[in-house]
Every structure is written in C-alpha cells, then in structure tokens.
DNA sequence: GTTTTAAATTTGTAGGACAATTACTGAGAA
DNA sequence: TTCTCAGTAATTGTCCTACAAATTTAAAAC
C-alpha cells in the first residue's frame, strides 16, 4: 500500500502523444526533440526525406507521416522543391503537450520559456485555486491535501516533485474548467525543468511544504479568497526563486 | 488606403495549420471538423481507411497522414485490427489552434467551451493588459488604440469583430509573454462564436467601444493598474452577456 | 543585361504488397 | 451451458515503386 501510494505521487514519466507506439511515433519524438532543442535554426532546412530515410532507417512513408504531425504542431512547414524548414518560434504551438515536453530541460535556452511559464502560472493558478475551493469534489479535496502533505524532502527529489505536480494538476482539474485544466502540461514542463536543475538549488522544502498545505486547507475549507491569496503568495515566492535561478544560468 | 486599413481589421478568415494546401490538409480539416462537431461520439470508431479512401476520393497515403495529424492533436487514437476511435474529450488538445477553430460555432455544445473560454479570458486578459501597459512598443500601442477606435457598428459586424480581435490579440502580443500570446487562438474562437450568434443579440456597441478605448488609453499611458482594472471591468460585463446568451441557447 | 525557356530537384499523391497485432469465431472440454 | 484455447480474419503499420506537381536553378535566346 505504501508502495502504491508512492507510485501515485511520482512524476508521470511520459505525457505521450496519442500516436501508437511504433516507428512513426519514434520518428516524431526524435525530430521533434531535435527541433525543440534548437539543432536546426529557425528557417533552416531539415534533411531531405530520403536522407532521413537513410539516417533513421525507416521508410519514406514513416518519415512523411512524422513530418506531417510536426507540421500540425507548427514546428515546420514544407514546400515542394524546397524541403521542410523550421518555422519561426512564434508559430510553434507552445501549449501543445508534446512541444512543451520536447524542450530540453538542460538547455539555458529553455530558461526563457521556463520564466514565461512561471509568469503565466502566477496569473492563472491563484484563480484556479479559488475555483477549486468552490467546485472540487470530496475526492479531489482529499487528493490535494494528501499531495500537499506528501511534499517533504525525505522521499527524495523525484517523488517530492511528483507530489508537487499532482497537487497543482489536481487543483486545475478541480477548477471545473477544461481549458484551464489543460494548462497542467505547462506545469509539467516547469516541473521537468525544475527537476533537472533542482540539484543546484538550495532546498527550501520545509517552507514549500507549509505553503502547499496552507493552500490545500484553504481549498478544503471552501474559502475561495483565502485559497487564491495563499496560492498567489506561494507562487510569488516561487517566481523569485525561479528568477534567481534563471539569472544564475545566464550568468555562467 | 482606406481599403487597406479596413482589411487590416478584418477577422482573419483562417488561422491555418502549417500544412501545405493540398489533399492532406483538406482531409485533416474535413475529419477534424466532423470529430469536433460531434459527428462521431467519444469512443466511436471512424470509418476504416479504405472506406475513407473511397468516400473522400483520396489515396490511402493521404488518409493515413491526415489521421496521424489528428492523433497528434489528441482527437483520435488508432490500433491495429481495431480502427481509429475518438478520444475522450479530456484528451483533446483544446488549446490547439486548429482544434479550437474546428468547433462548430452554431452548435449549442460549443456554448460550454465558449463559456469556459470566457472565464479563462477573465483570468488572464487583465494581467496581459497590465503587462502590455509596461512592455508594449510604440507600434503596438498605436495598433491597440486604432483597433479600439475602429470598433463601431457602422462598418457592420464583420469588421467590428475584426477590430475587436486585433485589439485583444495585440494586447496579448504586447505582453511580451509568448505563451500568453498564443492564447489569442482562444479569443479567436470566442470571436467566431460571437460572430455566429451576434445576429441574435441586441447591439451594445457604444458601450463596448467606450470600454475598449478606455483600456487602450490606459495601456498607452503606461498605467498598468488602470489597464488591468478597466480590462477586468470590461470582461466582467462581457461575461455577463455571454452567460445570458448561453443560458438562452440552452433554454430553447 | 533581361527575359524566356528548359531542366533538375524535392515534396505530394497514388497504389500494391506484406507484416504485425488483436478482435472475433468456433470447436472442444469441463 | 459455460469456459478455454487455438485458429482465422480483419485492420492498421511499414515498405516499396512510380509518377505528378511545383519551384528553384541553370541555360539559352534576345
């Protein structure tokens, strides 16, 4: 049971696209990551289809289907006689779960996205908490409370971050707004980044946990105003830490 | 010149996917709309590939590439020997520009999405306005002002809504947060819906215009607090109208 | 030098063949 | 009857070849 509970709060290792496992999926992941990692500059031409066929060891059918998927996410654009070129960053579907996930958590370039995501969280999560305080069902309130209490450093970083993700994701779900709920992909990206860089940051878990539990209790009690305020306070603190971290990354 | 200006504020007729024009794109659009319109229930099996080949008059290559794109957007999921079945609504990438656009503006089912989008706007647009007041460049401030002033009923609904969209989209862009900026797709969807149903609503354009200009001037003057407050007031009013409209739709 | 024409190249579409997987069928046993 | 298990059939997944369409590049004509 303990084991089960622990698994429950682990950071889901993959938020997969709905593509079936197979060559197409692998190719999409491979190319998607390369593009998101910046291996090809904006406007750069990807290798020709037959080159990809050779280098990836799959058929042209697979390569083409993969490229079409990436087009659908705004990463690339194809033209006859020209090739597939990488779209300007503005055109990327930044809120697509896959595109978010493909960003390299280790890259300093991702830091900007991370900072933007943190700003965005500061905007919508307090409101989500307020909505959750009103709309959450019994089950959700329990999960939020349990996740908040599970945030302690003794279990190691991985499960701590897992609980953290579950905490925030459940609040979004409990808001009752499906679009708001989908922004949990954004939180997932921040968590990934946070996990990749957490080894360098000083642990402030005790404070973090107290804050989380505070928010959870406010939601559980149904006090929307209190939940909003506490969530906001928590995220302001979070943003301060994030900004410091990003600054230090660019300083290197 | 007048003509050019008018075009500038017209609602862009298509926020296209990055797929090149052609059979694949058409097929994606066709199937995507059918699914988003609810022609296939959740879990329902789509016609087999060879049936689609026949009914759509394209090759299996095209059908397969289109289906893969839809998988990438979370609409469907495929399996050998089983077929392509429609994913539960929760799995759809609701923030994907295409998925948003494919919703049927005429359908009462869309009304719920519309209401959620309106709620979401109320959350992030006041903050976007505050950010824009600080970060917008000269050009953006001018565009926002011009768009706000172009919102008058004499030009007809289409261009009025076009200016409205330009107003909100530019504010998001001017916020300086790329993720925030991408939420303009959501506003686009609301505008489409609004346009489709606007014939039934009594015109309150004079008030609307005064509000928009107020926000624009606040942004132009660089007063973040004022911009936030005015945008919020405007959207609260907007939400009240939206709720009334949705209620009337379900009442029928 | 400029314009027009031709050629080469790259993606787009079509269609056939087989592989892999899994739902379904039916026979046999409990 | 009901359950198990093997076999069969059906559907998508992958590979392949051929040709069409478009567009850049190069050549040619003026």
């Amino acid at each position: 049971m303990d084991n089960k509970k622990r698994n429950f709060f682990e950071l889901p290792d993959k938020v997969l696209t709905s593509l079936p496992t197979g060559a197409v999926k692998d190719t999409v992941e491979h190319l998607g990551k390369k593009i998101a990692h910046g291996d090809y500059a904006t406007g750069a031409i990807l290798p020709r289809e037959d080159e990809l066929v050779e280098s990836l060891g799959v058929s042209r059918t697979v390569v083409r289907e993969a490229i079409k998927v990436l087009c659908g996410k705004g990463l690339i654009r194809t033209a006859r006689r020209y090739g597939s070129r990488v779209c300007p960053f503005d055109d990327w579907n930044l809120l697509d779960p896959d595109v978010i996930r493909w960003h390299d958590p280790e890259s300093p370039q991702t830091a900007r996205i991370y900072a933007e995501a943190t700003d965005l969280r500061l905007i919508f999560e307090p409101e989500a908490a307020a909505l959750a305080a009103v709309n959450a069902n019994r089950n959700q309130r329990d999960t939020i409370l349990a996740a908040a209490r599970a945030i302690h450093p003794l279990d190691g970083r991985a499960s701590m971050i897992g609980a953290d993700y579950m905490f925030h994701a459940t609040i979004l779900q409990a808001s009752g707004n499906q679009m708001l709920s989908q922004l949990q992909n954004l939180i997932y990206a921040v968590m990934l980044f946070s996990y990749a860089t957490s080894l360098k940051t000083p642990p402030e878990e005790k404070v973090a946990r107290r804050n989380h539990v505070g928010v959870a209790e406010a939601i559980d009690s149904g006090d929307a105003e209190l939940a909003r305020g506490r969530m906001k306070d928590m995220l302001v603190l979070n943003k301060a830490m994030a900004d410091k971290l990003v600054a230090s990354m660019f300083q290197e």
Side-chain angles (χ1 to χ4, degrees), chain A:
Chain A
M1 199 200 80
D2 186 24
N3 190 17
K4 194 179 175 187
K5 186 180 174 186
R6 197 162 299 241
N7 280 336
F8 184 61
F9 285 132
E10 258 171 25
L11 194 62
D13 47 345
K14 294 177 191 176
V15 177
L16 296 169
T17 177
S18 322
L19 288 166
T21 56
V24 174
K25 184 199 178 76
D26 294 344
T27 307
V28 169
E29 292 280 323
H30 179 83
L31 291 176
K33 274 180 192 160
K34 283 196 88 166
I35 295 169
H37 286 197
D39 290 8
Y40 304 105
T42 293
I45 314 279
L46 270 80
R48 288 197 314 271
E49 288 179 354
D50 46 320
E51 290 186 76
L52 290 173
V53 165
E54 196 176 3
S55 67
L56 300 180
V58 293
S59 71
R60 193 181 164 214
T61 308
V62 169
V63 168
R64 282 187 54 78
E65 288 177 4
I67 283 181
K68 283 288 172 299
V69 172
L70 296 175
C71 285
K73 294 177 185 295
L75 295 186
I76 56 182
R77 197 175 280 269
T78 63
R80 278 176 162 127
R81 182 56 178 85
Y82 199 88
S84 309
R85 56 189 189 288
V86 177
C87 288
F89 190 71
D90 291 357
D91 293 346
W92 295 14
N93 294 2
L94 287 182
L95 299 172
D96 182 284
D98 294 317
V99 176
I100 288 177
R101 183 168 49 83
W102 288 332
H103 279 285
D104 180 9
E106 301 281 352
S107 155
Q109 191 204 348
T110 311
R112 213 190 67 202
I113 304 293
Y114 172 58
E116 287 196 359
T118 304
D119 287 341
L120 200 50
R121 287 182 63 183
L122 189 48
I123 292 175
F124 69 82
E125 283 204 73
E127 299 307 319
L131 286 169
V134 177
N135 298 328
N137 60 34
R138 186 66 257 157
N139 208 356
Q140 288 166 330
R141 287 174 207 271
D142 289 343
T143 302
I144 293 167
L145 272 170
R149 287 174 182 144
I151 298 177
H152 43 66
L154 300 177
D155 284 0
R157 300 273 178 163
S159 78
M160 186 188 88
I161 289 181
D164 199 5
Y165 173 71
M166 184 60 69
F167 172 80
H168 290 281
T170 307
I171 288 175
L172 287 185
Q173 263 177 274
S175 74
N177 186 315
Q178 300 229 23
M179 289 184 164
L180 203 46
S181 179
Q182 295 225 343
L183 289 171
Q184 61 184 269
N185 293 312
L186 203 140
I187 294 178
Y188 183 77
V190 172
M191 297 279 165
L192 273 188
F193 185 90
S194 169
Y195 182 66
T197 58
S198 66
L199 301 172
K200 312 168 192 167
T201 62
E204 304 196 28
E205 285 89 358
K206 273 181 202 162
V207 180
R209 187 189 175 208
R210 201 160 56 223
N211 287 339
H212 278 79
V213 172
V215 174
E217 286 174 350
I219 290 175
D220 188 45
S221 73
D223 189 336
E225 278 304 320
L226 190 63
R228 190 201 328 264
R230 285 184 175 172
M231 177 67 97
K232 191 174 177 184
D233 292 344
M234 190 172 89
L235 288 172
V236 165
L237 229 111
N238 189 43
K239 177 168 158 48
M241 275 172 49
D243 286 348
K244 205 158 58 179
L245 179 63
V246 170
S248 77
M249 282 188 73
F250 277 109
Q251 189 181 328
E252 287 172 9

